[in-house]
Amino acid sequence: MNVIQEARTLIHENIRDYGMYIALFVIILTFSIMTDGLFMSSRNISNLLDSAGYIAVLAVGMTLVIVIRHIDLSVGYAAGFLGAIAAILLTQTGVPVFVTIPIILVLGVAIGLFNGVLVAKIGIPSFVATLAGMLIFRGALLQVTEKTGTIIIQDDKFNAIGNGFIPSLVQVSGLHLLSLLVGVVGILIYIYSEFSNRKNKIKYNFEVVSKPIFALKLVFVSGIIGYITWILAGYNGFSWTVIIMLLVVVVYHFLTTKTVLGRHIYAVGSNPEAAHLSGINVKKITYIVFGSMGMLAALSGILFTARLQSATTTAGTLFELDAIAAAYVGGVSSAGGVGKVTGAIIGAIVMASLSSGMNLLGVGISYQYMIRGGVLAGAVIFDVMTRKKR
């Protein structure tokens, strides 16, 4: 009984963090029942994660931008424009894919830093500065694609980034062995990380959950990882898009939770004036966050262009709004200082799950937009209500 009471207290006190996971579970359960299990089929889950990849990458960067109390509206068309530049380099100038990708990422960093300078140094509100950037990159995208309209990419290595899967060592009972191994490694890393965090908290006399709750958490999360791995292994295994998305999450989760830079980012978001008085270079943090956002926009453009195997005049349309929606659904606070990159990924998957489920049910696109808008409004209302309770 004590364990049940502790679990209820834990969920109540951390409802902001757990709310999105509960919402995702409800969405998955609902669509699985309504589609007679088709929603959780290996093919659909693989397609769902691939379609969420380029938005999830943007949502990670957008989360940090919102955490420091700013916004970036330019990332959508910046991603589309940089994807088109990648297509031009590959098809018209013959630049190898292993050179093209670093060039595009560096260009993304430069674009992000430019936005950071406008915001931090010149003092232009981020909404206005990045809105100008959105219009500029929209025009730039049309300019570079106006001759052909669509630039077809026939580089198999580049296209594999958006459509390919990690190689299979061997098939075991129809399952992708390497993907199973990746899942096992992921579970082991997660368990090690949790034990390490618990040990450090105990060392410094921080409060930790009881052993039964801790064990239940390990089993539950490990089971989810294992189940998703098993589903994907039954199709073609992990796609390169999913691997890239997971790497981005791991790197940014480490940076934001285990480094001085991460603590400074959240300090600036919580109270910029206090952060400045404590010796934190607020302008430098702003440059870093916007530079990071630009790099992730470039990566998103690469993923999207590789997925389509072409660059189009409409690439990047509404990407920024989808990323903002994913960030808010994932738990970032509009007041700044609160938000996790892991939440951004869950938010992106929630939005992708809604679209996938409604497509399987044949829901009209007009209703889809309204439902997704309602979910976003609900997420922000939830954010405001939980802050008021505190």
Side-chain angles (χ1 to χ4, degrees):
M1 187 68 179
N2 290 333
V3 173
I4 296 175
Q5 185 63 39
E6 182 184 0
R8 287 178 177 174
T9 303
L10 193 64
I11 293 174
H12 183 265
E13 292 178 351
N14 297 276
I15 187 63
R16 184 190 189 86
D17 294 328
Y18 296 151
M20 55 191 154
Y21 294 99
I22 295 172
L24 179 59
F25 176 76
V26 171
I27 289 170
I28 291 174
L29 182 62
T30 301
F31 283 132
S32 294
I33 294 173
M34 295 180 72
T35 61
D36 295 325
L38 182 60
F39 180 83
M40 287 300 293
S41 66
S42 297
R43 181 186 293 272
N44 189 61
I45 293 299
S46 180
N47 290 335
L48 186 155
L49 292 177
D50 284 350
S51 65
Y54 60 92
I55 295 300
V57 168
L58 278 181
V60 168
M62 190 64 71
T63 294
L64 298 186
V65 172
I66 297 174
V67 161
I68 64 169
R69 305 187 180 189
H70 290 296
I71 200 72
D72 193 340
L73 299 177
S74 68
V75 295
Y77 285 121
F81 170 69
L82 291 170
I85 295 298
I88 291 171
L89 290 175
L90 290 168
T91 60
Q92 298 179 17
T93 63
V95 178
V97 63
F98 298 111
V99 177
T100 297
I101 291 175
I103 290 175
I104 298 303
L105 293 178
V106 171
L107 285 175
V109 173
I111 288 171
L113 288 175
F114 180 72
N115 285 334
V117 169
L118 293 178
V119 173
K121 192 173 184 65
I122 300 178
I124 301 175
S126 58
F127 182 91
V128 177
T130 58
L131 177 60
M134 180 179 75
L135 297 174
I136 291 170
F137 292 121
R138 172 60 172 152
L141 174 60
L142 292 174
Q143 178 65 32
V144 298
T145 58
E146 67 176 354
K147 291 183 179 179
T148 58
T150 298
I151 304 173
I152 305 297
I153 302 173
Q154 296 181 338
D155 190 305
D156 292 337
K157 292 179 181 178
F158 181 83
N159 291 337
I161 297 173
N163 297 281
F165 297 84
I166 63 175
S168 175
L169 299 177
V170 66
Q171 293 284 335
V172 179
S173 300
L175 298 176
H176 196 278
L177 178 60
L178 184 55
S179 293
L180 292 176
L181 293 177
V182 169
V184 170
V185 170
I187 291 173
L188 293 177
I189 291 175
Y190 166 72
I191 292 174
Y192 173 79
S193 174
E194 287 296 314
F195 270 105
S196 178
N197 288 338
R198 183 179 175 86
K199 182 179 178 181
N200 287 333
K201 286 183 178 180
I202 293 174
K203 180 180 178 181
Y204 294 105
N205 297 317
F206 285 109
E207 185 179 355
V208 296
V209 298
S210 65
K211 289 183 178 179
I213 292 294
F214 179 68
L216 182 63
K217 179 183 177 182
L218 290 181
V219 171
F220 182 72
V221 176
S222 298
I224 291 175
I225 297 173
Y227 182 59
I228 293 175
T229 300
W230 179 73
I231 289 177
L232 293 177
Y235 183 49
N236 286 322
F238 284 100
S239 67
W240 286 114
T241 296
V242 172
I243 294 296
I244 291 170
M245 181 174 68
L246 292 177
L247 287 175
V248 168
V249 174
V250 170
V251 170
Y252 274 80
H253 179 69
F254 177 81
L255 287 175
T256 54
T257 61
K258 304 294 183 181
T259 67
V260 174
L261 174 61
R263 289 193 290 273
H264 285 182
I265 288 173
Y266 284 96
V268 169
S270 297
N271 193 322
E273 293 78 15
H276 175 70
L277 293 174
S278 67
I280 297 175
N281 191 329
V282 176
K283 287 185 178 180
K284 181 181 177 181
I285 295 299
T286 305
Y287 296 152
I288 291 173
V289 170
F290 273 96
S292 164
M293 182 74 261
M295 182 189 70
L296 292 177
L299 180 57
S300 175
I302 290 171
L303 291 173
F304 183 74
T305 305
R307 181 170 174 78
L308 291 186
Q309 301 182 25
S310 62
T312 67
T313 57
T314 59
T317 303
L318 297 182
F319 282 15
E320 68 284 344
L321 299 186
D322 287 337
I324 292 169
Y328 274 112
V329 171
V332 72
S333 173
S334 55
V338 176
K340 297 179 180 179
V341 296
T342 49
I345 296 297
I346 298 300
I349 293 175
V350 165
M351 301 305 283
S353 297
L354 283 173
S355 296
S356 176
M358 289 187 290
N359 284 333
L360 289 175
L361 292 173
V363 177
I365 191 67
S366 57
Y367 290 106
Q368 289 193 31
Y369 276 118
M370 288 188 279
I371 291 171
R372 291 170 66 190
V375 170
L376 175 58
V380 178
I381 292 171
F382 182 74
D383 166 45
V384 173
M385 296 301 293
T386 53
R387 278 194 285 119
K388 281 184 178 180
K389 287 182 180 180
R390 294 184 181 183

